[in-house]
Amino acid sequence: MDKAAIIDMSAGCVRRVLSHTLRATCTGRPGIWTPVSRFLKYSENSNVIPGARRLCPLCTAVDDTEQTPAPKKKKQGPHAHATISSVGRKIPERQIQVISETGENLGILHRADVIRIMDEQGLKLVLLSEHKDPPIYRLMSGKQIHEEQLKLREKQKAKAAPVQVKELTFSAGIASHDLTTKLKQVESWLEKKHHVRITLRSGRAEPADNLDTTLDQIVQQMEAMVGFVSKPKVIRDGQAAMCVLRPPSAKELSQREKNPTAAPQSDTQSKTSTVSDTDT
C-alpha cells in the first residue's frame, strides 16, 4: 500500500470520528471516546456546554429551560382596605369571631356554621378586622352593606377635598341694601360648601363698642341656616369683630326641624385655604 492510500484512509477515519463526535454533542447520545468528546464532556461539567451547542452548526434543539416570568401583582390603591364588601362563602379561616346583624357578639364559630346561618337568614359576611386572632366578621344584609359604603364614600370625599374659606370684610356703617347683597353672597358660598370668614370693621364715625354683638345680629338676619366654625369675637384691639361661618351639618338640620329656635353650633377647623373678597 503506497503512502497516498494510507493518507486517504487516515483522513477518512478522522472524518468519521468527527462526525460521531458532533452527533453525540448535538443529540445528547454518547459518541466515540476521543480527545474531542472528552473535552466536550469536561465542558458540560464546567457550564460551557451551552456555548458549545450554540456554536455547533448541526444543533437545532431549542433550550427550553427558561422559566415563565411570574405574573405581576396588581397594586392596591391607598384606599383599597377602606371598603365594605362581602367575602361570599369562601371563608379562609376555619374558625372566626362573628358579630350578628344587630351587633350582638355570637362568639367564635366554625365557618360551616357561619355559612349555614348566612343561608338560613339570607345575610352576607363582611370582614371587620383581619388582624385579630381569630379575625372578626359581621353578618350584614345587602341594605346595611350599601349604607356603609355610602358613609365611607362621604368620609373619603370630605378628606380628599380641602375646605375653602371665602373672606368678606365690610364696615359697621354699611348701607342696608349693600348689606343685603353681601349676605346673599355669603349664602351662595355656603350652598357650595365653602366656609366664610366675615370681618366687621368699625366705621370712621361709628363707635367701636360691641362689634361682636353687632356682627352676631347681622348673621342672624340671614335666611339660610348656618353653623359657626368661630363665633363673633373682637379683634384688632377692639377695632373689628370676626366670625367664620360654615354650612350646617345633617345633624344640625335635623335638630332645627325639631326645634326651629335652636341656635347655630360652633366647632373648629384646620388646614383651610382662603380666598378674599374685601369691601373697603
Side-chain angles (χ1 to χ4, degrees):
M1 185 178 295
D2 55 4
K3 187 174 181 180
I6 294 174
I7 293 175
D8 291 339
M9 291 179 61
S10 300
C13 291
V14 171
R15 284 195 296 270
R16 285 195 296 272
V17 169
L18 291 175
S19 177
H20 281 288
T21 303
L22 289 174
R23 291 196 194 99
T25 302
C26 297
T27 62
R29 295 191 296 270
I32 300 175
W33 182 259
T34 64
V36 176
S37 62
R38 182 176 60 196
F39 170 75
L40 292 173
K41 199 166 186 178
Y42 172 78
S43 300
E44 184 177 0
N45 295 333
S46 304
N47 295 328
V48 183
I49 190 65
R53 289 188 180 185
R54 286 193 295 269
L55 294 175
C56 177
L58 300 178
C59 294
T60 57
V62 179
D63 188 7
D64 58 353
T65 59
E66 292 186 7
Q67 297 181 355
T68 304
K72 295 182 179 180
K73 294 183 178 180
K74 186 177 180 181
K75 293 184 179 180
Q76 295 183 341
H79 303 294
H81 297 288
T83 57
I84 295 292
S85 60
S86 170
V87 299
R89 300 170 63 89
K90 297 180 180 180
I91 306 173
E93 299 85 8
R94 291 175 59 88
Q95 291 185 331
I96 60 175
Q97 186 173 350
V98 182
I99 306 298
S100 71
E101 179 187 8
T102 59
E104 180 184 358
N105 188 353
L106 301 180
I108 299 175
L109 301 178
H110 192 278
R111 59 186 172 192
D113 296 329
V114 178
I115 293 175
R116 178 179 54 80
I117 297 175
M118 292 167 58
D119 293 339
E120 291 177 353
Q121 301 183 14
L123 300 175
K124 301 178 185 294
L125 192 65
V126 175
L127 177 62
L128 296 184
S129 176
E130 60 182 346
H131 302 294
K132 299 292 184 179
D133 187 21
I136 302 176
Y137 289 79
R138 180 173 179 177
L139 294 167
M140 302 178 70
S141 63
K143 182 179 179 180
Q144 286 177 321
I145 294 177
H146 179 68
E147 291 175 351
E148 290 297 327
Q149 289 174 342
L150 293 179
K151 291 179 182 179
L152 282 177
R153 289 173 188 170
E154 291 298 327
K155 290 181 180 179
Q156 290 174 2
K157 287 181 181 179
K159 292 180 180 179
V163 177
Q164 190 178 51
V165 178
K166 301 289 186 175
E167 187 167 321
L168 191 66
T169 301
F170 51 86
S171 65
I174 186 173
S176 177
H177 174 73
D178 293 337
L179 178 60
T180 302
T181 303
K182 295 294 183 182
L183 294 182
K184 288 186 179 298
Q185 179 65 63
V186 172
E187 292 177 357
S188 66
W189 283 334
L190 293 174
E191 289 177 357
K192 296 177 181 179
K193 307 303 181 182
H194 299 318
H195 291 184
V196 182
R197 179 183 290 115
I198 301 177
T199 302
L200 178 66
R201 297 182 288 102
S202 61
R204 295 177 181 178
E206 299 289 336
D209 299 332
N210 302 323
L211 286 176
D212 52 345
T213 303
T214 303
L215 180 57
D216 184 67
Q217 292 173 352
I218 291 174
V219 173
Q220 298 301 328
Q221 296 178 25
M222 297 176 58
E223 296 179 0
M225 179 182 177
V226 300
F228 282 116
V229 175
S230 175
K231 287 192 173 184
K233 60 181 179 181
V234 177
I235 58 174
R236 301 177 189 173
D237 296 330
Q239 296 301 312
M242 184 272 296
C243 70
V244 180
L245 305 179
R246 58 168 174 78
S249 64
K251 182 178 179 180
E252 290 171 345
L253 290 173
S254 177
Q255 292 177 348
R256 182 64 176 270
E257 292 178 357
K258 297 178 181 178
N259 184 11
T261 60
Q265 298 180 2
S266 64
D267 54 12
T268 57
Q269 297 287 342
S270 60
K271 297 182 180 180
T272 56
S273 58
T274 303
V275 177
S276 62
D277 181 10
T278 305
D279 176 26
T280 57

